[in-house]
Amino acid sequence: METENDLPKAYDASLYEDAISRRWEESGFYNPDNLPGERTEPYSILMPPPNVTGVLHLGHALENALMDTMARYQRMRGKRVLLVPGTDHAAIATQAKVEKRLQAEGMINPRKELGREKLVEKIRAFADESQATILGQVRKMGTSCDWSRLAYTFDAARNIAVNELFFRMHRDGLIYRGYRVVNWSVKGQSTCSDDEIQHMERPSKLYTFKYSKDFPITIATTRPETKLGDTAVAVHPSDTRYTQYIGKTFTADVGAVEPLKIKIIADEGVDPSFGTGALGVTPAHSPIDFAMYEKQKAKGDPIEIIPVIDADGKMTAETGAYAGLTVEVAREKFVGWLKEHDLLEKEEDIVQNVGTSERYGDVIESLPMTQWWLDMNKTIPSRGKSLRDLMREAVTTGLAGDETKKVTITPNRFTKLYLDRVENLRDWCLSRQLWWGHRIPVWYRDEEMCVSAMAPSGDGWEQDPDTLDTWFSSGSWPFSTLGWPRTKVIFVRHGEAMSNAKGFNDGIIGNGENVLTERGEGQVKERAKALKDSGAVAIIASPITRAKQTATMMGEALQIPVTFDDRLREIGFGSYDGKDPVAFDKARGFFDGWKKQPFADAESYPSVHERSHHALKEILATYAGKTVVVVTHGDTLAVMREFGVAGDKSYGYPEPAGAVEISFSADGKQTDDLAVFHPTSWMQMGYEILYLWLMRMILMSAYTLDDVPFKDAYIHGMVRNKEGQKFSKSMGNGLDPLDVVKQYGCDALRISLLLGITPGNDSRYSEEKIESGRNFVNKLWNIGRYVLTTTQKPRAVHDPQRPTDFPFQYGTLHQPPIISTKADAWIIGRLALTHETVTKHLEQYNFSAAGEALREFTWNDFADWYLEISKVQRTGDAEAQAGTDFLLRWVLGVLLRLWHPFMPFVTEVLWKELTEKDDADNLLLVTAWPELQAHLKDSADILQPYQDLVTAIRALRAEHHLQPKQVLEVFVDHVDDQMKKEIAWMQRLTNTTITLGAPEKADGLARAVVGETTLYMDTAAGVDVAAECARLTKEAENLERYLVTVDAKLANEEFASKAPPAVLEKEKGKRAAAAGELAKIQEQLKLLQ
RNA sequence: GGGCGGCUGGCGCAGUUGGUUAGCGCGUCACAUUGACAUUGUGAAGGUCAGAGGUUCGAUUCCUCUGCCGCCCACCA
């Protein structure tokens, strides 16, 4: 261990960070279940799971800094803080990336060449590696997350949640399968959602043409080749040019297999002033046109739909001569044909916005396909509202008008953006033809379809080959990570049987001899009555007669289905079957003994354990989110109760028909996280995923749990480079945060990312910033080093107001500090004020403002002033020195705690040195946030006049180019007892000897006016009177100018009558001060001239 | 086409109910530095808060318009 004297001059983060990290992790305090002290209020943050597509960049570093700063702050405030770490499988992004890699390695079509299984294996390998890297990075950054709750959007527990959610939404009619126009990436061979499309401007041509010579209407298009699939022309209903044609059908032969039958339809959406005012309708290849197609169908005046482009981006067979051509070639050919037949009227160059696939980069085609959709408008049964309604309510009135179920977005302007988007959402296409992702939980067999959270039993079922949009799983993150769906299992022991009454062992299935006694039947009836309102949906039972009987009776009473599972049967008694259970128990021993020792004559513990747990696992998956009853036997029940149960693992039979109730999370653990930590307290994310993620989390939590996923959402901007460009690997300017950490330390990185940011706005990262961050960390280090190496431990303090053995406890600094001098009171005042400011800003997520206030105090007040003043105070008597030492340590103690959320490492190192305690409970990590008495901050300004004088003397010295080493004589014409007390440190800080009182002879002295005080400085060499006058004149002019404006203001009657009195008083006060100072300066000028 | 954000000393940015002689960091200049810290100290210079109107006793702050810069959204085919 370091001793105080060993602290190196410069803080080298790399020497400490790993060890500190280890201490934190080993303390167990990252897990809210282990936090010390009484903590009742939960505080939860979910980490937005980084994509496992690569490594973390500075944006992630910012997120980690934000989350961890908040988590540490709240932990210090005594809350039960949970920060859940995790990663995202990022379906399309990851698959696209791996495919690209494989292609770079020479594979032409990875899907074809490898097949589903092998490609998924490749992707998994890549994802696993990437995940390991990412989690390592998060660890390195000191993020205080609970690793025991680590989650992945593509693990088994999340799969159960996703399936269950899909099942429920389908059951509620929100998820439907429909043939509609989708966004199709030919390159990715998959659909994508509206959000995964990137619009790009691109030069294009607008063609104006007619389908045939005798066709009455001219139309325009940028996609001539799709016109082969036109089935209508839409015009505005009140467009008199065309009203005569509405309803008529024309035939035009444009070279497709069938001549086009074009119906003229009316649609309000057509802009009569654009182009020819008529729109060629291609239902198969345009979402708008498809909407018209549906409208017409609904009206009972249907138009046809003819797909002319296939999934490979080639023309379909319907296009005859064009079949098999790519769209580009077909376009040229068709335009050529138009020209040839003199149908092309115009060809103009325009700039067009085309949609491209975010991940595969190709132009998105609109194609009609059968896909799975989530309906935004359908009323949810029993809610009377649509998903869109829920999303709207969540940020406005709160769900169903409940203010406690409301998400507050910081900064507020994003709320409006969110709402605009909510109103314009279309149904969400959920299915993807990708392989990396959660399979759609739907199975098909012949004509049957089964939507279920679990594979249906029976042969011949084929699961839908498609996968779910990646945001379906990340949208459920706020509750899937906290144990949803929670499954309640009510374990019930069978009623009293003959064997119990008569005393023999029975482990034989179908032993008709051993039935329930009359008493046993009564017990079962009682139990069934008790479970009437339990909400149980099914009973799964052991098939042994007494359990079978019990389950059947209960099933009838509760009106729920009963199934039997062989694996829930009683332990096989072997040679003890039919014999005395007492002898058996004696031979086998108690539960713990049975667990450890093999038992030859009957079934072993591992065997019972294996089969029963296997059964339970299946039950939990099948009935995820529901309540079920499991009817079984004593030993089996005892073994199963062990399932995920912490603590109580004792062997014990319930009474006959006795029940035990246990809740399980989706991954089979007993947990109450969902109840405790959802809704989560705070969520931070970049604005680029506002629509993608925030909306979907709100949608899903509102739907699933009738609550918001989080109370506060904080939107941050992007971290850009010095030039304001995005960091990106493709541009070669990506930056690994770990490299930065290695060079500058984690604390430096954190504060350089956090300071200078404003919510929702982009920030810039630069070498200069991180250096300045590093410099500050070093400054704090040296402040700590100075205090620790110079001052004496506070044991020596004697305070007459307190017992002589007044305990100095750094961890609970609730006692007021001991204040002896004006400077003491001042620094405490400043500290108290800073503490208040920092706390306020952190509560409002103003990380930058909080950090800057702290930085200001640390550097400008504590280091530059108080530390220097303390050096003088310490030269006094022993008591003065002890008092000052106490205060230095006291302030340092508070300061370290205030800084800890921002700079966890360096503060933790110094805290250990300060407190000289190494035990886990003393970690700054779990130390209480300071609380300072409000009145302390009243003295925050009391040193100002003296500081002003010191600054003026220093300025005067600099002005006259006087060496700092040279001791000067200074006269201050202001005399009072107060100043006498402060003179010592003022002299030291200016390297002068200060005489209170005006000099006898002022000639040849430099002079300055500070407020109403004039100070004279003996420069030894005399002064340049002209220069002196010039300087004072300039200052006088400044004041005069100010007085003119203030006087004008004060003379304004309207100002005097309308301005608030406080403002008026303040102005008057300032005017008086300025006038006083001016008078002093003028006096000096007169003397000089 | 709609919307949002930005425009504050050389650079990067604060400025939250309209009232400070407009602040901070970096940089610049001058001086200093074997004494906690050269990853430092002291001092200084530097801005008509993009422009024009308006509301108001008072506008960097609120409103309108204009100009740049950036971003998001969008079914002008």
Side-chain angles (χ1 to χ4, degrees):
Chain A
M1 209 176 68
E2 302 261 0
T3 65
E4 287 172 4
N5 296 326
D6 290 339
L7 294 179
K9 283 177 90 158
Y11 176 68
D12 181 353
S14 64
L15 293 178
Y16 302 96
E17 290 187 353
D18 285 342
I20 293 285
S21 262
R22 219 174 305 121
R23 282 185 71 204
W24 287 331
E25 286 193 27
E26 282 166 6
S27 75
F29 297 149
Y30 285 180
N31 183 336
D33 302 333
N34 300 335
L35 281 168
E38 286 281 310
R39 290 169 190 255
T40 48
E41 193 179 340
Y43 190 92
S44 49
I45 304 174
L46 299 174
M47 180 181 295
N51 287 353
V52 292
T53 44
V55 294
L56 300 192
H57 52 247
L58 285 174
H60 293 106
L62 168 65
E63 296 212 322
N64 274 277
L66 287 168
M67 289 184 288
D68 193 51
T69 299
M70 197 37 70
R72 284 179 192 267
Y73 168 67
Q74 298 291 354
R75 203 180 282 113
M76 291 177 84
R77 302 236 46 175
K79 297 186 187 162
R80 259 187 92 185
V81 174
L82 171 62
L83 174 49
V84 180
T87 49
D88 192 324
H89 70 293
I92 187 170
T94 314
Q95 177 159 351
K97 181 146 199 177
V98 173
E99 284 176 354
K100 226 176 255 175
R101 273 193 174 192
L102 292 170
Q103 280 164 341
E105 287 164 14
M107 218 176 264
I108 291 160
N109 186 335
R111 288 188 216 177
K112 226 177 232 166
E113 285 166 57
L114 290 170
R116 185 160 190 152
E117 218 166 287
K118 278 192 189 152
L119 180 56
V120 166
E121 251 340 287
K122 290 248 182 213
I123 302 170
R124 191 183 308 282
F126 169 82
D128 286 352
E129 195 187 313
S130 170
Q131 186 177 44
T133 308
I134 288 167
L135 296 177
Q137 285 176 301
V138 173
R139 264 205 154 85
K140 192 85 186 172
M141 281 186 266
T143 309
S144 57
C145 44
D146 180 6
W147 295 102
S148 74
R149 284 172 167 93
L150 177 66
Y152 178 39
T153 55
F154 200 25
D155 60 19
R158 260 45 67 180
N159 185 247
I160 289 171
V162 160
N163 288 357
E164 177 66 20
L165 192 54
F166 188 98
F167 166 77
R168 290 190 190 188
M169 288 177 149
H170 180 266
R171 179 200 60 199
D172 286 348
L174 303 176
I175 288 182
Y176 64 92
R177 202 167 183 230
Y179 180 75
R180 310 179 38 180
V181 169
V182 300
N183 307 309
W184 182 261
S185 161
V186 171
K187 216 160 154 193
Q189 283 293 297
S190 176
T191 55
C192 56
S193 68
D194 295 343
D195 304 301
E196 290 164 323
I197 295 176
Q198 232 146 25
H199 289 277
M200 279 201 242
E201 285 200 337
R202 188 176 82 149
S204 178
K205 282 186 161 59
L206 181 68
Y207 303 92
T208 308
F209 75 101
K210 276 187 181 178
Y211 296 104
S212 66
K213 273 280 170 220
D214 51 355
F215 197 83
I217 303 172
T218 306
I219 58 161
T221 183
T222 52
R223 295 289 304 273
E225 73 282 6
T226 65
K227 300 290 106 182
L228 291 158
D230 279 13
T231 58
V233 164
V235 298
H236 195 271
S238 56
D239 191 337
T240 50
R241 290 173 292 176
Y242 305 122
T243 37
Q244 50 173 318
Y245 304 115
I246 292 170
K248 291 187 179 151
T249 302
F250 298 85
T251 307
D253 189 350
V254 293
V257 173
E258 296 279 333
L260 297 182
K261 276 184 243 144
I262 309 281
K263 186 182 278 184
I264 314 301
I265 59 172
D267 194 291
E268 299 275 353
V270 179
D271 178 359
S273 65
F274 182 80
T276 63
L279 169 65
V281 181
T282 323
H285 300 292
S286 154
I288 324 136
D289 298 6
F290 184 80
M292 290 185 191
Y293 162 81
E294 298 227 293
K295 230 192 267 176
Q296 289 300 120
K297 198 159 67 176
K299 265 199 247 172
D301 182 20
I303 57 173
E304 283 182 67
I305 177 165
I306 310 170
V308 294
I309 301 169
D310 67 14
D312 291 324
K314 304 255 173 73
M315 302 306 284
T316 61
E318 278 84 355
T319 62
Y322 299 90
L325 298 180
T326 63
V327 292
E328 288 83 8
V329 176
R331 183 178 311 162
E332 263 175 54
K333 186 168 171 175
F334 186 67
V335 170
W337 181 87
L338 287 173
K339 281 182 185 159
E340 215 170 279
H341 290 78
D342 202 21
L343 294 169
L344 188 67
E345 290 184 4
K346 234 195 302 183
E347 185 178 332
E348 311 160 71
D349 288 314
I350 58 159
V351 176
Q352 192 198 11
N353 235 338
V354 292
T356 59
S357 159
E358 187 188 14
R359 297 296 172 180
Y360 284 96
D362 57 333
V363 173
I364 291 294
E365 287 293 347
S366 292
L367 304 179
M369 284 186 171
T370 300
Q371 299 290 338
W372 288 99
W373 302 84
L374 183 61
D375 198 318
M376 292 297 148
N377 300 316
K378 189 152 183 189
T379 303
I380 307 164
S382 81
R383 295 266 192 109
K385 279 173 191 151
S386 67
L387 291 173
R388 195 193 304 280
D389 296 334
L390 295 181
M391 291 166 86
R392 191 187 303 119
E393 284 179 359
V395 301
T396 51
T397 60
L399 294 172
D402 183 347
E403 281 275 344
T404 64
K405 295 180 176 179
K406 181 176 166 177
V407 177
T408 306
I409 304 177
T410 307
N412 189 250
R413 67 186 141 94
F414 287 105
T415 309
K416 214 180 136 232
L417 291 175
Y418 168 97
L419 283 169
D420 281 352
R421 186 58 171 254
V422 165
E423 296 315 321
N424 293 313
L425 273 182
R426 293 191 289 181
D427 285 0
W428 175 13
C429 178
L430 296 175
S431 42
R432 298 285 177 278
Q433 289 61 53
L434 298 162
W435 293 343
W436 181 245
H438 294 283
R439 281 281 277 274
I440 305 254
V442 177
W443 286 261
Y444 308 93
R445 180 167 72 180
D446 303 325
E447 298 300 300
E448 285 178 276
M449 184 178 87
C450 171
V451 180
S452 159
M454 248 198 123
S457 51
D459 294 331
W461 288 104
E462 288 274 351
Q463 189 172 5
D464 196 313
D466 290 355
T467 53
L468 281 165
D469 179 11
T470 193
W471 296 102
F472 196 84
S473 47
S474 29
S476 54
W477 191 244
F479 48 89
S480 73
T481 51
L482 296 175
W484 187 91
R486 260 201 306 179
T487 312
K488 206 163 25 162
V489 179
I490 303 168
F491 294 95
V492 175
R493 194 188 162 205
H494 57 78
E496 187 194 69
M498 298 293 282
S499 56
N500 306 119
K502 289 187 181 170
F504 62 91
N505 284 324
D506 174 28
I508 303 160
I509 296 174
N511 178 6
E513 301 295 301
N514 186 13
V515 293
L516 294 184
T517 60
E518 208 171 300
R519 197 164 121 204
E521 286 183 8
Q523 291 163 341
V524 173
K525 276 181 197 153
E526 280 301 306
R527 175 55 56 198
K529 220 190 219 168
L531 293 180
K532 216 173 157 201
D533 297 323
S534 65
V537 296
I539 298 175
I540 304 96
S542 149
I544 291 179
T545 306
R546 55 190 184 281
K548 198 170 179 173
Q549 251 185 304
T550 303
T552 310
M553 281 178 66
M554 287 181 59
E556 276 166 24
L558 296 172
Q559 292 285 298
I560 51 175
V562 181
T563 51
F564 300 100
D565 193 318
D566 191 26
R567 293 169 299 183
L568 296 174
R569 71 179 185 276
E570 181 60 304
I571 169 180
F573 293 98
S575 59
Y576 287 91
D577 245 314
K579 292 193 184 133
D580 182 3
V582 178
F584 171 76
D585 278 350
K586 208 169 169 188
R588 185 189 58 173
F590 287 102
F591 198 72
D592 281 340
W594 183 37
K595 246 169 123 170
K596 283 177 211 137
Q597 278 162 15
F599 181 57
D601 291 345
E603 191 178 3
S604 67
Y605 170 84
S607 166
V608 179
H609 186 276
E610 212 243 295
R611 62 170 163 86
S612 63
H613 279 77
H614 203 251
L616 185 53
K617 207 168 182 173
E618 269 183 37
I619 290 167
L620 289 175
T622 311
Y623 297 99
K626 301 190 180 74
T627 301
V628 289
V629 175
V630 167
V631 176
T632 183
H633 307 264
D635 269 328
T636 319
L637 206 156
V639 171
M640 279 197 296
R641 275 190 67 190
E642 208 193 20
F643 196 94
V645 180
D648 178 21
K649 292 182 184 177
S650 59
Y651 172 66
Y653 272 73
E655 293 300 302
V660 178
E661 212 180 281
I662 301 178
S663 284
F664 298 92
S665 69
D667 46 359
K669 287 182 194 143
Q670 192 184 3
T671 170
D672 59 353
D673 279 1
L674 195 64
V676 175
F677 294 113
H678 190 280
T680 60
S681 312
W682 182 66
M683 169 63 76
Q684 62 78 38
M685 74 181 75
Y687 58 73
E688 72 277 6
I689 53 171
L690 186 77
Y691 301 133
L692 290 166
W693 197 40
L694 181 116
M695 296 191 111
R696 289 181 170 126
M697 286 192 284
I698 289 177
L699 178 158
M700 290 190 166
S701 274
Y703 168 75
T704 311
L705 298 164
D706 188 24
D707 211 334
V708 289
F710 29 77
K711 290 170 186 144
D712 285 334
Y714 171 94
I715 310 295
H716 65 76
M718 262 193 305
V719 182
R720 295 170 176 277
N721 69 11
K722 201 182 167 184
E723 281 72 42
Q725 299 157 321
K726 276 190 192 179
F727 280 110
S728 80
K729 246 199 273 172
S730 56
M731 281 171 62
N733 64 355
L735 243 183
D736 184 349
L738 287 199
D739 289 341
V740 180
V741 167
K742 209 187 270 173
Q743 196 181 347
Y744 297 98
C746 193
D747 294 329
L749 176 60
R750 289 168 66 122
I751 58 167
S752 60
L753 288 171
L754 251 27
L755 268 55
I757 63 167
T758 4
N761 288 353
D762 292 350
S763 58
R764 295 191 191 193
Y765 170 89
S766 63
E767 195 88 1
E768 288 82 5
K769 254 188 200 169
I770 183 80
E771 273 175 13
S772 125
R774 188 259 329 263
N775 293 355
F776 180 73
V777 174
N778 190 62
K779 184 74 186 181
L780 183 64
W781 174 256
N782 274 292
I783 289 169
R785 195 164 79 97
Y786 170 74
V787 171
L788 290 168
T789 54
T790 315
T791 64
Q792 296 194 354
K793 287 169 204 163
R795 219 167 288 284
V797 174
H798 288 277
D799 179 348
Q801 259 82 56
R802 295 187 178 88
T804 44
D805 60 346
F806 165 59
F808 186 78
Q809 292 176 304
Y810 293 99
T812 53
L813 287 173
H814 294 301
Q815 306 101 322
I818 300 168
I819 295 169
S820 314
T821 68
K822 197 165 237 163
D824 290 353
W826 169 76
I827 196 66
I828 293 295
R830 287 288 307 143
L831 179 64
L833 199 63
T834 305
H835 164 263
E836 184 187 66
T837 307
V838 169
T839 308
K840 190 186 83 199
H841 283 312
L842 279 177
E843 290 292 337
Q844 297 170 351
Y845 312 117
N846 276 326
F847 296 90
S848 184
E852 273 165 17
L854 261 179
R855 182 184 208 279
E856 169 87 11
F857 171 82
T858 309
W859 207 314
N860 300 345
D861 294 333
F862 192 46
D864 288 348
W865 286 97
Y866 189 74
L867 245 47
E868 295 307 320
I869 294 172
S870 78
K871 288 172 186 172
V872 178
Q873 291 187 177
R874 297 185 75 256
T875 59
D877 57 26
E879 197 165 319
Q881 183 186 333
T884 301
D885 286 1
F886 172 90
L887 205 65
L888 284 167
R889 286 176 176 250
W890 195 93
V891 173
L892 180 63
V894 174
L895 196 54
L896 291 177
R897 285 186 288 165
L898 294 177
W899 268 121
H900 185 254
F902 294 89
M903 302 193 290
F905 291 98
V906 69
T907 50
E908 191 73 82
V909 175
L910 287 171
W911 183 255
K912 190 175 108 181
E913 298 298 332
L914 176 67
T915 59
E916 297 180 350
K917 269 204 276 180
D918 207 10
D919 41 316
D921 281 3
N922 185 53
L923 283 171
L924 197 43
L925 177 71
V926 287
T927 299
W929 188 251
E931 291 191 30
L932 301 180
Q933 291 153 309
H935 72 82
L936 290 174
K937 61 180 192 284
D938 295 346
S939 52
D941 289 326
I942 56 170
L943 217 58
Q944 199 58 55
Y946 312 103
Q947 290 175 306
D948 287 347
L949 275 177
V950 167
T951 304
I953 295 169
R954 285 166 169 174
L956 207 51
R957 185 195 274 279
E959 194 77 38
H960 291 275
H961 298 286
L962 299 166
Q963 292 291 310
K965 266 189 193 169
Q966 184 187 349
V967 181
L968 299 172
E969 178 145 34
V970 169
F971 301 89
V972 175
D973 71 354
H974 202 83
V975 191
D976 67 35
D977 288 345
Q978 290 287 313
M979 192 173 295
K980 247 181 226 166
K981 284 190 200 159
E982 312 304 324
I983 210 84
W985 64 263
M986 288 170 70
Q987 293 186 131
R988 161 85 180 242
L989 264 57
T990 51
N991 199 23
T992 55
T993 56
I994 297 175
T995 306
L996 293 179
E1000 280 175 21
K1001 205 166 143 268
D1003 290 352
L1005 300 184
R1007 57 202 75 197
V1009 175
V1010 185
E1012 306 224 16
T1013 308
T1014 307
L1015 59 88
Y1016 305 83
M1017 180 184 283
D1018 186 355
T1019 64
V1023 292
D1024 177 345
V1025 175
E1028 203 74 350
C1029 283
R1031 208 185 69 244
L1032 289 169
T1033 305
K1034 201 178 147 200
E1035 278 177 40
E1037 280 167 2
N1038 275 341
L1039 286 167
E1040 277 161 1
R1041 224 175 297 130
Y1042 170 66
L1043 284 173
V1044 168
T1045 59
V1046 169
D1047 285 340
K1049 205 189 234 181
L1050 290 171
N1052 185 335
E1053 266 181 46
E1054 289 205 90
F1055 174 73
S1057 59
K1058 290 183 184 170
V1063 172
L1064 201 64
E1065 281 313 301
K1066 208 170 149 191
E1067 290 289 343
K1068 279 183 182 165
K1070 280 193 298 190
R1071 195 219 170 269
E1077 187 163 332
L1078 181 61
K1080 280 278 186 177
I1081 291 175
Q1082 278 163 346
E1083 185 188 318
Q1084 289 305 317
L1085 277 169
K1086 213 176 279 170
L1087 286 171
L1088 282 167
Q1089 279 152 5

